[in-house]
Amino acid sequence: MSNLKEVLREKINQQRPRTQKLHDEFSDFVVDKVTIGQILGGMRGIKCLVTDISYLDPKEGIRYRGYTLPEIFEKLPPRAKGAEMPYVEGLIYLLYTGDIPTKNQVDDLIDEFSKRRIVPRYVYEVIDAWPCCGNPMAIFSSAILAMSRESFFAKKYKAGVSKMDLWEPMYEDSLNLLAKLPEIASYIYAKLYRDGKRIVGNPDLDLGANFAHMMGKAKPYDDVSRMHFIIHADHESGNVSAHTAHLVGSSLSDIYLSTSAMINGLAGPLHGLANQEVLRWLQDLMDKMGGETPTENEMKQYVWDTLHSGQVIPGFGHAVLRKTDPRYTIQREFSLKHIPEDPIFKYVDLLYKVVPPILQEQGKAKNPPWPNVDAQSGVIQWHYGLTEYDFYTVLFGIGRSIGIAATWYGTGLYNIHLKDQNRSLQICWKKLWA
Ligand code: NMX
Ligand code: MLT
């Protein structure tokens, strides 16, 4: 049995009385009042979900298990030889347990992942069955959905297991899924954009390095992958992707069904797809500029033209954040260090300067919409040779699955608050106006 599972068993036994106490003693506690504006704003600021995994402060950004992102990058030990970024497996350990892992615990998890990474043949056949030019996110979602056949949890549930023990098969499913996602995603990439030949995974590598290997990308793409998956792992539970997985999972659908649904939500342009929209939008400008870097005034004009045509500026603004996204800052610092002369980075750098004041002048957003995670991620991918930007949201999806998986085993842990969630969230207009 893996060390992680033993640790979780102990923690679950410690945590259960806490949840029970909340349920027994605080059930009538009034958390908030809800306004029509909040409902129309898409459940804006309504506190109605429980999670221990991450917390999003509007002024500070995301904290994973209480740690800010800079703290995460500083504290997560150890690093692969010559690597700048921590292992993704270290973050997975932290999100699952709340503890910064030791080197042995990370090694143990790397080993677990390499044992679980083999993807059933029929999943490759599902991917192969897609016609050419399919949407990578739709293909990714369907491959994950097909794997529902593998769900250990669904089998156990059918066989009749006590709900106190459900976390165990949920845990097994969650690690199985996470270990397989890089294999699936890299095959979709090979099918859509390379020669269709799968690069077989290397069991001696960690998740980030193995993904780089299967994508056919040289160093430092291993570090780029580690950074990307770590910063995208979770963003509280209320965003479309995490919330969707939570909601679907609350009916005790297995993790494959829940994650596939999450991928579908992430695929929208106001959510994860914005990271590729940024590149598409900038490419259009680059074409217009004939390869020249625009002046500040030319860039301002391009931003205004986009706004006047009724479109949003991708990569800017956020439903919760009221400052520059720390995920943006981490990628910006990486770019300043490694790719300062990249022509697209120069565009992005200019946008950082011109967009917030323009959006403030436009006057729609209450706060100047600062750059979010998506404003920077595509540029780094592009620089390291991943120029097929239609694929970028798949990368976001691998990262986001980590937070979903950590929450998923927690579904088995908490049990109480996730029963067929959201039964009475609707308001009836007729009743309201009567
Ligand atoms: N460009 C143009 N208008 C904007 C932008 C933007 N980047 N951001 C906000 N606004 C508008 C917004 O459309 C709304 O207008 P209206 O009243 O006509 O509907 C108004 O400002 C107020 O919006 P906010 O309350 O500040 O933000 P809201 O929560 O409604 O929207 C986003 C949040 C993220 C959907 C919005 O900022 C946006 O569309 N950004 C561009 C797309 C993007 O980058 N999405 C990625 C988000 C992060 N992620 O990875 O998922
Ligand atoms: C996310 O990472 O999910 C996005 O920033 C959207 C959000 O948190 O609302």
Side-chain angles (χ1 to χ4, degrees):
M1 190 194 294
S2 90
N3 171 284
L4 175 59
K5 195 166 179 181
E6 285 168 47
V7 172
L8 286 177
R9 186 187 303 284
E10 204 174 304
K11 283 192 178 276
I12 284 170
N13 286 331
Q14 285 164 5
Q15 295 291 331
R16 278 200 160 130
R18 183 189 69 152
T19 320
Q20 194 62 47
K21 185 177 161 82
L22 201 60
H23 184 260
D24 294 347
E25 295 177 24
F26 294 91
S27 269
D28 295 331
F29 183 85
V30 178
V31 176
D32 219 344
K33 61 175 189 181
V34 176
T35 65
I36 296 283
Q38 286 180 297
I39 296 170
L40 290 181
M43 293 173 67
R44 177 79 49 103
I46 299 177
K47 293 178 179 57
C48 61
L49 297 166
V50 186
T51 178
D52 271 348
I53 310 294
S54 68
Y55 168 70
L56 180 59
D57 183 281
K59 295 227 163 60
E60 184 189 60
I62 193 69
R63 276 180 185 261
Y64 291 159
R65 290 287 193 170
Y67 298 103
T68 62
L69 281 183
E71 284 167 352
I72 293 281
F73 281 94
E74 188 205 313
K75 285 180 193 292
L76 272 188
R79 271 142 232 254
K81 209 167 164 212
E84 202 178 308
M85 300 295 161
Y87 288 118
V88 179
E89 289 87 340
L91 178 82
I92 295 173
Y93 191 99
L94 171 67
L95 291 187
Y96 271 57
T97 63
D99 297 337
I100 299 280
T102 62
K103 178 177 180 330
N104 283 349
Q105 286 164 333
V106 175
D107 287 346
D108 183 60
L109 198 50
I110 292 175
D111 200 38
E112 271 293 319
F113 271 70
S114 90
K115 282 190 251 166
R116 294 170 186 257
R117 70 189 168 80
I118 302 297
V119 175
R121 192 185 163 82
Y122 67 84
V123 178
Y124 292 116
E125 287 168 4
V126 167
I127 297 169
D128 288 342
W130 273 82
C132 79
C133 319
N135 173 345
M137 285 295 269
I139 303 176
F140 195 37
S141 172
S142 68
I144 295 168
L145 189 65
M147 276 200 303
S148 173
R149 181 177 183 273
E150 304 303 308
S151 176
F152 188 46
F153 164 76
K155 288 185 188 95
K156 282 279 183 188
Y157 192 88
K158 205 169 167 186
V161 71
S162 157
K163 67 178 181 180
M164 299 308 276
D165 298 327
L166 282 178
W167 74 270
E168 281 199 59
M170 284 173 157
Y171 163 86
E172 296 296 341
D173 275 3
S174 71
L175 286 202
N176 285 340
L177 173 68
L178 290 184
K180 290 172 177 45
L181 290 179
E183 308 263 338
I184 295 173
S186 54
Y187 182 60
I188 294 173
Y189 181 78
K191 274 298 284 185
L192 292 178
Y193 310 111
R194 255 194 353 239
D195 55 3
K197 294 202 178 88
R198 183 164 71 91
I199 300 177
V200 178
N202 179 345
D204 297 331
L205 296 175
D206 63 278
L207 190 146
N210 194 30
F211 183 66
H213 159 73
M214 292 184 294
M215 292 291 288
K217 303 282 174 221
K219 280 179 185 297
Y221 196 75
D222 52 348
D223 259 343
V224 168
S225 301
R226 293 184 190 108
M227 173 175 73
H228 190 94
F229 298 149
I230 289 174
I231 64 174
H232 287 86
D234 206 26
H235 218 230
E236 251 187 11
S237 302
N239 57 70
V240 173
S241 50
H243 183 58
T244 303
H246 220 62
L247 187 60
V248 175
S250 74
S251 71
L252 295 187
S253 287
D254 65 56
I255 197 169
Y256 302 98
L257 297 164
S258 308
T259 305
S260 168
M262 166 293 260
I263 293 291
N264 300 342
L266 189 65
L270 295 189
H271 194 13
L273 195 87
N275 71 72
Q276 55 193 66
E277 283 293 291
V278 173
L279 256 286
R280 189 185 55 77
W281 183 68
L282 286 179
Q283 286 293 319
D284 183 49
L285 177 59
M286 286 184 101
D287 288 348
K288 286 194 174 109
M289 295 298 304
E292 297 290 317
T293 307
T295 62
E296 198 171 315
N297 278 341
E298 283 167 335
M299 186 59 102
K300 282 182 179 167
Q301 190 57 50
Y302 186 60
V303 172
W304 275 116
D305 288 348
T306 303
L307 289 174
H308 287 143
S309 68
Q311 300 172 66
V312 295
I313 309 300
F316 284 80
H318 197 274
V320 180
L321 279 171
R322 294 297 170 246
K323 66 161 263 185
T324 297
D325 192 334
R327 301 173 296 177
Y328 175 91
T329 309
I330 281 168
Q331 296 182 99
R332 178 178 162 79
E333 280 163 7
F334 180 93
S335 304
L336 285 168
K337 183 169 172 194
H338 295 280
I339 58 169
E341 295 309 322
D342 183 283
I344 309 185
F345 177 61
K346 287 189 176 160
Y347 275 52
V348 168
D349 202 30
L350 196 49
L351 285 176
Y352 188 41
K353 200 169 163 196
V354 306
V355 173
I358 290 182
L359 288 173
Q360 191 161 35
E361 190 182 331
Q362 189 207 27
K364 276 192 169 185
K366 292 164 212 84
N367 295 283
W370 300 107
N372 61 55
V373 64
D374 298 324
Q376 261 286 339
S377 46
V379 180
I380 298 176
Q381 295 297 331
W382 183 282
H383 182 89
Y384 290 107
L386 207 93
T387 52
E388 302 84 359
Y389 50 75
D390 280 353
F391 190 74
Y392 292 173
T393 316
V394 173
L395 305 175
F396 194 152
I398 300 175
R400 182 52 48 90
S401 301
I402 295 170
I404 305 294
T407 307
W408 173 250
Y409 104 80
T411 305
L413 160 60
Y414 295 122
N415 208 313
I416 305 167
H417 70 268
L418 277 169
K419 286 182 204 147
D420 197 5
Q421 202 178 34
N422 289 1
R423 285 315 274 285
S424 53
L425 270 182
Q426 295 173 3
I427 50 169
C428 171
W429 290 107
K430 273 193 186 151
K431 278 192 194 153
L432 205 66
W433 301 130

